[in-house]
Amino acid sequence: MQLLASRAADIKEMALTAEQNPDVYNCGAVEKNGEILKQLRAIFDKDKSSRPLVLSPSGINRYLDCPMKFYYYYLAKLKVNQEVESTIQAVDFGNIFHRAAELFYEHITADTGTTIQKSHLEPYIKKSALLYTFVEQAFNECFFMGKSSGKLDYDGEQIINFEVVHRFLLRLVKMDSEYTPFAYVGSEQDANFRMETKTSDGETVSLCIGGRVDRMDCKNDTIQIVDYKTGGKPDAPNDVSALFSRTGKRSGYIFQAMLYSAAVSMAQKGKKVSPSLLYIHKQSQARRENYVINIGKQPVVDYSLYHDEFIKHLQNTIDEIFDANTPFYCTTEKDRCTYCDYKNLCGER
């Protein structure tokens, strides 16, 4: 500025700007070469891996929603950073409710045995403050990570969520009271089964498929799979094949409940199995029977009627995951990208 003012030199002025032009990466597809297939075996094959992963409903849902999402998660091992948050996220809220319900029934069955009667639940309905103990322990374990050994110190938002979990737990107890008597089988129990596929080089891959069931109970010789949901809304696919659809709307929740039913049905031969989704945030006075899932317009009161078709589609999906001629590719359904953790890796979708 001094040089310009004094005109001591012939100065030419230029304006420079810096613009952001980030590279856009279009994912295209990842071919399943020998190394990729070797990785897949090392991750999932019970006979080739020292610590094979169970292929869970969420894992298969990833593949059905977008094969590239499956690749990023399992093979590229791109995990989302789990930062410590002071606010309660949706997944935390769900985990807290799940754990509070589990703690409650662990307490009830420890005193009364596995058969739940109306009289066992009525004291907690008449004096709902008794449920606070289970909610507080669930908060400590799932949100505060067990760091507090004394009275928990909640901020305003946490107090609101605490009360909502308490209200949902009371709602569950009231609903179960109308469902009594029933036998409480357990919560967070493993339900797995074995499935095999062959790679293009003729090698057999043996997988463990399944996961942990939120809750199982038994009434009238029917085992009911109960999958708690604290978000989302009920839907009904037209048929079993719609659970495996690559286009349009697909119900991952119902797929999960059906897969758990397959595992339990194979383990409990001769027992009727009925899958249900309990949207605890949607109803206040609904009966438990209303939460049996529907395929088409029919409630799935006996999973075995759908077993053969479900397993056929599941086998086709597993075969495709290990098929060398089918690459991992990006979905063309853009609405499935909206909340995807990897959407920024796939360029303009």
Side-chain angles (χ1 to χ4, degrees), residues 227-254:
D227 202 7
Y228 297 130
K229 297 301 176 189
T230 55
K233 59 183 180 180
D235 60 356
N238 292 328
D239 49 37
V240 171
S241 66
L243 298 174
F244 297 83
S245 174
R246 298 299 176 77
T247 59
K249 187 174 176 167
R250 190 182 69 82
S251 178
Y253 287 167
I254 292 181

Side-chain angles (χ1 to χ4, degrees), residues 16-24 348:
L16 303 178
T17 60
E19 296 181 352
Q20 292 184 343
N21 293 300
D23 290 335
V24 175
E348 296 295 332

Side-chain angles (χ1 to χ4, degrees), residues 106-222:
E106 283 178 353
H107 171 77
I108 293 293
T109 54
D111 291 339
T112 65
T114 58
T115 300
I116 307 297
Q117 302 287 350
K118 196 179 188 77
S119 59
H120 300 151
L121 304 180
E122 283 180 335
Y124 297 90
I125 297 172
K126 291 177 180 176
K127 192 175 180 181
S128 65
L130 294 171
L131 297 172
Y132 281 127
T133 300
F134 311 106
V135 178
E136 188 161 30
Q137 185 176 340
F139 256 87
N140 190 23
E141 292 180 14
C142 301
F143 186 70
F144 295 104
M145 303 305 174
K147 294 178 181 177
S148 176
S149 57
K151 187 70 175 174
L152 297 174
D153 185 20
Y154 300 99
D155 63 23
E157 182 183 353
Q158 291 163 3
I159 290 172
I160 292 172
N161 281 283
F162 183 97
E163 291 298 334
V164 174
V165 173
H166 173 261
R167 186 174 299 178
F168 283 1
L169 183 57
L170 176 59
R171 186 176 294 176
L172 174 66
V173 174
K174 286 180 177 179
M175 203 177 300
D176 284 347
S177 175
E178 297 301 317
Y179 186 64
T180 55
F182 63 89
Y184 178 78
V185 179
S187 295
E188 300 299 326
Q189 293 192 344
D190 290 331
N192 304 320
F193 61 96
R194 189 176 178 127
M195 184 170 274
E196 292 185 347
T197 186
K198 282 187 180 293
T199 60
S200 55
D201 55 8
E203 285 205 38
T204 298
V205 180
S206 180
L207 303 100
C208 182
I209 296 177
R212 308 195 85 183
V213 181
D214 288 349
R215 170 175 157 185
M216 286 189 286
D217 50 50
C218 187
K219 185 180 177 74
N220 299 328
D221 292 324
T222 297

Side-chain angles (χ1 to χ4, degrees), residues 58-75:
S58 60
I60 301 172
N61 274 328
R62 281 190 189 96
Y63 184 81
L64 291 170
D65 286 343
C66 176
M68 204 66 193
K69 186 177 180 180
F70 181 94
Y71 170 81
Y72 284 141
Y73 187 87
Y74 287 109
L75 287 97

Side-chain angles (χ1 to χ4, degrees), residues 257-292:
M258 289 290 282
L259 190 139
Y260 287 150
S261 297
V264 174
S265 179
M266 285 187 266
Q268 303 280 343
K269 295 187 185 300
K271 284 272 192 182
K272 280 178 63 176
V273 176
S274 177
S276 67
L277 293 172
L278 190 54
Y279 293 89
I280 196 66
H281 61 298
K282 284 288 183 182
Q283 302 290 340
S284 57
Q285 300 296 328
R287 297 177 65 84
R288 274 277 305 278
E289 290 87 340
N290 295 347
Y291 287 91
V292 172

